[in-house]
Amino acid sequence: MFHPFHVEQFLSELENGVKYNYSESGVHPMTLKELVELTGMDPDALWATMLDYPQVNGFTLMRERIAALYEGATSDNVLVTAGATEANTLVANTLLEPGDSMVAFRPIYEQLTGDVKNRGIDVKYVDMDPLNDWKIDAQAVSDTVDATTKVIHVINPNNPTGRVLSIEERRGIIAAAAKVGAWIVSDEVYAGTERDTDETTKSMWGDYDRVVVLNSMSKAYGLPGLRLGWLVAPKAEVRACWRRHEYASVAASMLSMKLAEAALEERARKALVERARRLIRTGFETLTEALQVHPGVFSVSPPHASAMSFIRFKLPVDSETLALKLHREQDVLVIPGSRFDVENHFRFSSALPDAHLREGLRRMNLVVGEMLETV
Ligand SMILES: Cc1ncc(COP(=O)(O)O)c(C=O)c1O
C-alpha cells in the first residue's frame, strides 16, 4: 500500500496562502537580488545564460567546490541533483533491493524511509529518547541491525529535533553498520545551521568506507527555491546514482547551477552560513521567550542546529487538532507531531524576520490562553 509523505502532504495542502507560516524547516530564504549582490555575480552574465541542458552530473567547478567540503573527496565523488530530495530517491533506488532492509531513527523526516517503504523494503526503527534530549541508545542500534540491513539512515542534524549526534552515538552507528557491512546514508542538509556553536557538524564522510552523504542549498544557505542538492559517495556509487539521475530528472536546472556555483565560492558560502546562524540564534531566543508566556504548557530540548524546534505541549488536544485550530483561527501554520509519529509535540520554525515571528507567536499564545480558560 502506498505510504504518503505525511509531513510534505500537510505542508503542500496547507501552506500556500497562509499568513504566519512556521512550518518550513529552513531559514528565511533570500531573494535573487540579495544573492546576486552577496556573491558579486555580474547580473549581465546571468542574463546571458543560455537556457540549454546543463552538464548532467553538475558543473565541474561547482562539484569541485562541493568536494572541497569533504576531506579526501574529489569532483568525481559528487553528483549534483534536483535538491537533496532527488539525491534521496537515487540512493533508495541504487543501494536497496527487494529483501534488503533499512534501519532509521525516529522521529524522522520520512523522505528516504517513506520512499524505501514504497519500494516494498522493510524499515526498522530505533527510537530516540524524548525524555533524554532525543539521545540514541547505541546498544539498541546494534541489536536492530541484522543480515538484511543494507542501509543505516541518519539525518544529522536531525529533522525535526535539531539534534546533532554525539561522538559516542556516531561510533555506535558506525560499529553497527560495520558489523553487518551496511551502508550509512547520512542526510546532512542541516549541517551549517548550528545554533550553539560555530563548528559545522562533522560530516560522516571519511569516517567509514561505505558512506553516502546528502546535502543541498536549501537549509544552511537559505536557497530552497534553487532546488539544488548533491550526494557524495565512492566513485562507483556516484556513477550508479548518475545512471538513475538520467531517468529521474536528467539534470538540475541551468540557472540553479549557476547561482549555486557562485554561492558555494568560499567567501559567499561563509557569508550565507553566518546569515543562517544569525537568524536561527535570534529566532530561537524570541521563541523561547514566547513559550514562557503560559508556564508549564510548553517544553523543548533546545535544538543544537536548524531553524526548527520540536516543542512538547500539555494541552487537552492532540497535535493535529492543535495545528488545525491555529491554522483556522489565527492563520498560523505549524506541523503537528503526529506527522512524525510523535504525539503532544509540534514543529516550529523560528529563523524568520523578527516582527513576523513575534506576531505569529502572539497569535499562538492567544489560542493557548483561550484553551486554558476553558479547561
Ligand atoms: C532532512 C531533510 N532532507 C532532505 C530535505 C529536502 O531538501 P531539498 O530542499 O534539498 O530537496 C529536507 C527538507 O526539508 C530535509 O528536512
Side-chain angles (χ1 to χ4, degrees):
M1 209 178 57
F2 180 72
H3 181 87
F5 193 163
H6 295 104
V7 167
E8 290 299 334
Q9 185 182 350
F10 185 84
L11 277 170
S12 59
E13 285 176 355
L14 292 179
E15 76 176 341
N16 293 305
V18 75
K19 192 149 180 208
Y20 298 98
N21 187 3
Y22 309 102
S23 65
E24 283 296 345
S25 54
V27 301
H28 187 58
M30 282 191 128
T31 64
L32 177 58
K33 187 165 188 284
E34 284 168 332
L35 178 63
V36 168
E37 284 171 2
L38 182 136
T39 55
M41 280 180 99
D42 174 4
D44 285 337
L46 212 50
W47 285 126
T49 303
M50 188 66 76
L51 295 176
D52 197 357
Y53 285 108
Q55 186 171 342
V56 166
N57 59 334
F59 293 165
T60 304
L61 176 59
M62 175 173 37
R63 284 184 296 110
E64 283 168 359
R65 286 182 174 167
I66 294 169
L69 304 173
Y70 302 91
E71 216 181 315
T74 71
S75 56
D76 290 339
N77 294 112
V78 179
L79 177 68
V80 172
T81 55
T85 300
E86 190 203 340
N88 263 311
T89 302
L90 300 180
V91 165
N93 215 329
T94 305
L95 295 185
L96 290 148
E97 289 172 354
D100 293 338
S101 70
M102 183 166 95
V103 171
F105 303 94
R106 253 190 323 217
I108 194 166
Y109 178 76
E110 56 182 357
Q111 191 163 78
L112 186 58
T113 49
D115 192 344
V116 157
K117 283 179 191 170
N118 284 332
R119 293 163 199 268
I121 286 158
D122 189 27
V123 178
K124 299 186 174 99
Y125 290 103
V126 174
D127 287 322
M128 300 159 83
D129 186 350
L131 302 176
N132 193 7
D133 207 16
W134 303 106
K135 287 202 172 86
I136 289 171
D137 176 7
Q139 189 56 48
V141 188
S142 179
D143 294 345
T144 307
V145 296
D146 62 25
T148 67
T149 310
K150 190 75 178 294
V151 166
I152 301 183
H153 172 42
V154 297
I155 299 181
N156 188 40
N158 176 262
N159 177 0
T161 63
R163 185 161 196 286
V164 173
L165 294 172
S166 68
I167 292 173
E168 292 72 36
E169 286 165 324
R170 292 168 70 104
R171 285 195 190 125
I173 290 166
I174 292 167
K179 190 171 86 168
V180 294
W183 285 88
I184 294 178
V185 174
S186 183
D187 181 333
E188 300 176 357
V189 294
Y190 296 101
T193 66
E194 293 71 22
R195 187 186 60 81
D196 54 359
T197 167
D198 286 335
E199 291 276 304
T200 296
T201 304
K202 192 177 172 309
S203 175
M204 280 272 187
W205 177 259
D207 276 5
Y208 171 65
D209 54 353
R210 305 189 120 206
V211 171
V212 178
V213 168
L214 317 182
N215 208 328
S216 87
M217 300 307 294
S218 296
K219 313 298 178 186
Y221 308 115
L223 301 166
L226 292 184
R227 308 304 308 121
L228 192 128
W230 58 87
L231 61 86
V232 182
K235 288 176 192 166
E237 282 65 35
V238 167
R239 281 193 298 273
C241 287
W242 184 352
R243 298 291 77 84
R244 285 146 179 96
H245 174 62
E246 287 151 359
Y247 277 115
S249 67
V250 175
S253 98
M254 178 67 95
L255 269 178
S256 295
M257 283 201 205
K258 277 216 158 173
L259 292 164
E261 183 174 272
L264 289 168
E265 178 276 318
E266 199 48 13
R267 188 201 54 83
R269 196 185 75 77
K270 283 195 169 138
L272 288 169
V273 167
E274 273 165 29
R275 170 186 178 272
R277 287 184 181 155
R278 240 186 348 262
L279 281 164
I280 285 167
R281 289 167 190 180
T282 53
F284 184 72
E285 276 172 30
T286 305
L287 170 66
T288 307
E289 263 172 48
L291 293 182
Q292 286 158 7
V293 167
H294 297 295
V297 173
F298 298 118
S299 59
V300 64
S301 297
H304 299 141
S306 91
M308 305 169 289
S309 296
F310 201 45
I311 300 167
R312 194 173 305 124
F313 64 86
K314 276 193 199 156
L315 289 166
V317 285
D318 62 31
S319 60
E320 196 94 8
T321 307
L322 178 64
L324 294 177
K325 191 172 166 64
L326 289 170
H327 181 244
R328 193 177 56 246
E329 294 178 9
Q330 290 293 342
D331 217 354
V332 163
L333 195 65
V334 302
I335 302 198
S338 57
R339 300 286 166 150
F340 296 95
D341 281 334
V342 183
E343 253 318 322
N344 303 114
H345 283 73
F346 60 90
R347 194 187 82 178
F348 190 104
S349 197
S350 53
L352 298 169
D354 193 57
H356 181 77
L357 174 60
R358 284 181 192 274
E359 176 56 15
L361 288 166
R362 190 189 68 77
R363 286 166 174 249
M364 184 176 86
N365 273 327
L366 216 61
V367 170
V368 171
E370 282 166 12
M371 286 173 83
L372 292 175
E373 273 171 27
T374 59
V375 176

